[in-house]
Amino acid sequence: MDVQETVGKTRTFIRTSATLKIIAIAFLVLVLQIPSSMISSLMHERESRRDSVVQEINGKWGWSQTITGPFFTVPFKEYYTDKNKEQKSRIRYFHFLPEQLNITGELTPHIRYRSLYEAVLYTSRLKVSGRFTVPRMEQLTISPEDILWDKALFSIGISDMRGIQEQIAVTWNEATYDVTPGLQTTDIASAGVKTRVPLSPEAGSATFSLQLHLNGSEEIRFIPVAEETVVALRSDWPSPSFNGAFLPVKRTVDEKGFSASWKVLHLNRNFPQVWQDNQYKVNEASFGLKLLITADIYQKSIRISKYALMFIVFTFAAFFFTEIINRKRVHPIQYLLIGLAVTLFYVLLLSISEHLNFDAAYLISAGAITCLITGYSQGILRNKYFTLTIFTVLFILYAYLYIVLQLEDYALLMGALGLFAVLSTVMYITRKVDWYATGVSSKATEEE
C-alpha cells in the first residue's frame, strides 16, 4: 500500500510539477530546431536555384558590364644584351589616358522570366567623348626615337564583348576609324576593342567621340581613366543601388526612375596618367550602379526564418502560463504539434510567395497558422477567453514581425524593444505567482 501511494504521489508530481513542464518544453524547443534548420536549408536551396537560373539568363544576354577607357596603348622598342652579348630589341608598351572624358547615356531595363524566377537585364546607349593630349616625353624613361607613334592603338575595355549590339566607330578629330575586337595587352583591361590611330609627339590635343550600344545584366560600372571623368546616366528603373569607389555627386530617385551623375578627378584614384606595362591596376577605382529587384522573396524569407525560435518560445509561453494561471493541462505532444504548426508558417510563406506577391503570401500564411493554432487551442482547452488570448498573441507576433521586416535599418532596435516589452509583460503577469507552491493542474489531479 505504501508503495502504491508512493508511486501515485510520484506520478502526480510528474504530472503537476511546473519545473518538469518547463524542462519538457525546453526540450521540445530544442527538438523543433531540427525542422527549423531543415526549412532554413530549403530556403537557401531555393535561393541558390534562383541564382543559377538568373546566371544562365544573364550569360545568354550579357554579364554586368565594366567600361574602361578609352586609353592609348603605344608600342616602343627596348634594347637589351642577351647571354651571347648580342644586342637585340623587343617590343614593350606604355599607356596614356585622356585629359577629359564625358559619358552620358540611358539604361533601358528588361525583366526576363524563367519558371518562377526573374532576372533584370538592361540595354545601354552610351555617348563617349573627350580629349587626348600626347604626353610630354619627360614623363617617360623612353628614348623618343624608340617610340612607334604610327602604331598607337586607341583602346576601350568592355568586360563582356557579347553585349556589343552595334558597330563601333571612333571619330578622331575629323577622321573616323572602325574598331576590331581584342586588346593588344591586358595591362589595363582583360577584353575590349581597339583601332590604330597614328599619333605624333607634336600633334598636341585631339578630340574623340564614339557610341556604345551594350547589353548587360544587373550592374554597370566605369573606370575613371581621365584627369576629369564625368558620367551621367538615367533610367526608368526605380530602385538603383549606387556602388563602387565613388558615389554620385547628384542623383534623383523616384517611382519613375533615376538620374545620377559622377565626377572623378585623377587625384581621387591611385594610378597616374602615363605608365608602362602593367604597373597599375585600375579596377579598384571602378564605380557605377546595380539594378535591384526589391521584392527578393528569398532574402525576406531567410530573414524571417531567423525569428522561428522566438515564435516557438513565445507561443509555448502563452500556453504554459495558461496552465499556471487557469489550471489547465496541455500535454507535451500537444506542445509539439503547436510547435510544428509554427514552423510550418515558413514553408507556407516561401511556397506561396513564389507564386503571389510577398505581402499577400505573408497575410495568407500568417492567417492560416493563426486560425490553425487558435482552433486547436479551443479544441483542447475549451476556454473562449484563452482562445482569444492565443489569437491575440499570434496576431501581435505576426504583425510585429512584418513591421520589423519593413524597417531594415531599425530591425535590431525594434527587436530589442519587442523583447523588453514581452519580458515586462511576463514579469507583470507572474508577479504574484508562488513558483514553489505552483503545480500544473493540481486541482484537476486532486479530483482524480
Side-chain angles (χ1 to χ4, degrees):
M1 189 68 180
D2 291 339
V3 174
Q4 292 180 351
E5 183 178 351
T6 302
V7 172
K9 289 182 178 181
T10 302
R11 290 177 177 174
T12 301
F13 174 76
I14 293 174
R15 297 172 66 187
T16 62
S17 172
T19 302
L20 289 180
K21 179 55 72 73
I22 292 175
I23 294 174
I25 291 174
F27 176 75
L28 289 176
V29 170
L30 293 177
V31 170
L32 287 169
Q33 294 310 297
I34 298 175
S36 297
S37 177
M38 294 173 63
I39 292 172
S40 180
S41 297
L42 173 64
M43 291 178 176
H44 286 287
E45 179 185 346
R46 300 293 289 181
E47 183 182 36
S48 177
R49 170 61 180 163
R50 187 277 311 272
D51 291 342
S52 64
V53 172
V54 169
Q55 290 295 313
E56 184 179 350
I57 297 173
N58 292 350
K60 295 179 179 179
W61 176 269
W63 299 110
S64 61
Q65 295 285 8
T66 298
I67 312 301
T68 308
F71 55 90
F72 265 100
T73 296
V74 183
F76 67 92
K77 293 182 180 180
E78 181 184 63
Y79 296 93
Y80 66 98
T81 302
D82 65 8
K83 61 182 179 179
N84 297 322
K85 298 184 178 180
E86 295 181 3
Q87 190 178 45
K88 295 186 176 181
S89 66
R90 58 189 172 194
I91 298 296
R92 291 178 59 189
Y93 297 90
F94 74 89
H95 317 280
F96 70 92
L97 308 180
E99 282 187 329
Q100 181 70 39
L101 175 62
N102 298 295
I103 301 176
T104 59
E106 181 175 2
L107 300 183
T108 303
H110 308 277
I111 299 293
R112 294 291 184 269
Y113 297 91
R114 177 171 296 179
S115 184
L116 302 174
Y117 310 107
E118 62 181 9
V120 56
L121 314 172
Y122 64 80
T123 299
S124 63
R125 290 187 174 274
L126 306 175
K127 180 179 180 181
V128 182
S129 60
R131 182 178 67 254
F132 273 97
T133 298
V134 176
R136 299 187 304 274
M137 300 317 301
E138 306 88 72
Q139 297 178 255
L140 302 171
T141 58
I142 305 172
S143 299
E145 61 273 12
D146 294 332
I147 301 177
L148 307 177
W149 290 107
D150 59 325
K151 296 182 179 180
L153 295 170
F154 183 98
S155 306
I156 309 163
I158 300 173
S159 58
D160 190 354
M161 301 283 285
R162 293 173 300 174
I164 299 175
Q165 297 302 298
E166 293 180 359
Q167 293 291 334
I168 302 174
V170 177
T171 301
W172 180 262
N173 284 340
E174 301 300 325
T176 300
Y177 301 89
D178 291 327
V179 302
T180 57
L183 299 177
Q184 189 67 31
T185 74
T186 58
D187 295 340
I188 297 181
S190 59
V193 296
K194 65 181 183 301
T195 186
R196 180 176 293 183
V197 177
L199 297 178
S200 169
E202 295 83 22
S205 297
T207 59
F208 68 89
S209 64
L210 58 104
Q211 301 277 348
L212 290 178
H213 180 194
L214 302 176
N215 284 350
S217 58
E218 294 186 356
E219 191 170 13
I220 185 169
R221 287 194 170 217
F222 303 90
I223 308 292
V225 295
E227 290 188 9
E228 182 180 272
T229 302
V230 178
V231 177
L233 296 177
R234 60 187 180 88
S235 173
D236 58 4
W237 188 260
S239 55
S241 173
F242 303 106
N243 50 35
F246 305 97
L247 294 176
V249 293
K250 294 181 181 178
R251 65 177 182 178
T252 302
V253 181
D254 55 34
E255 65 278 0
K256 296 181 181 179
F258 73 88
S259 62
S261 61
W262 294 259
K263 181 178 179 180
V264 182
L265 304 178
H266 70 294
L267 298 175
N268 303 137
R269 63 186 200 215
N270 194 34
F271 54 89
Q273 287 293 106
V274 183
W275 71 86
Q276 297 179 21
D277 301 325
N278 59 349
Q279 284 180 280
Y280 298 92
K281 300 300 180 183
V282 301
N283 289 333
E284 294 180 358
S286 68
F287 64 89
L289 60 93
K290 185 175 183 179
L291 304 179
L292 291 179
I293 298 179
T294 54
D296 191 333
I297 62 173
Y298 299 103
Q299 288 186 4
K300 289 183 177 181
S301 297
I302 291 172
R303 284 184 58 203
I304 287 178
S305 69
K306 296 177 181 179
Y307 293 86
L309 176 61
M310 182 184 73
F311 267 60
I312 293 171
V313 171
F314 286 173
T315 305
F316 281 6
F319 279 88
F320 175 74
F321 287 122
T322 297
E323 292 190 67
I324 296 297
I325 296 172
N326 296 328
R327 303 295 181 180
K328 298 291 184 179
R329 187 166 58 227
V330 180
H331 195 274
I333 294 298
Q334 294 170 326
Y335 273 103
L336 180 61
L337 293 174
I338 293 166
L340 291 174
V342 172
T343 57
L344 181 61
F345 162 75
Y346 303 98
V347 179
L348 286 175
L349 176 62
L350 177 62
S351 58
I352 297 175
S353 62
E354 288 185 334
H355 300 274
L356 299 178
N357 176 273
F358 184 85
D359 293 338
Y362 189 95
L363 178 63
I364 294 171
S365 303
I369 298 302
T370 300
C371 292
L372 176 62
I373 297 177
T374 302
Y376 187 64
S377 64
Q378 173 63 22
I380 63 177
L381 298 173
R382 303 188 184 280
N383 186 315
K384 293 183 179 180
Y385 175 77
F386 173 69
T387 301
L388 180 61
T389 301
I390 289 297
F391 175 83
T392 304
V393 169
L394 291 174
F395 177 83
I396 293 174
L397 282 176
Y398 285 115
Y400 174 76
L401 180 60
Y402 183 80
I403 293 173
V404 171
L405 185 65
Q406 306 304 313
L407 303 175
E408 293 186 19
D409 295 337
Y410 300 95
L412 180 59
L413 176 62
M414 293 295 294
L417 292 177
L419 290 175
F420 177 80
V422 170
L423 180 60
S424 300
T425 303
V426 171
M427 293 174 69
Y428 177 80
I429 293 174
T430 61
R431 69 191 186 282
K432 296 182 179 180
V433 174
D434 184 356
W435 293 99
Y436 285 104
T438 298
V440 179
S441 299
S442 59
K443 182 179 180 181
T445 302
E446 291 170 0
E447 292 177 352
E448 294 174 2

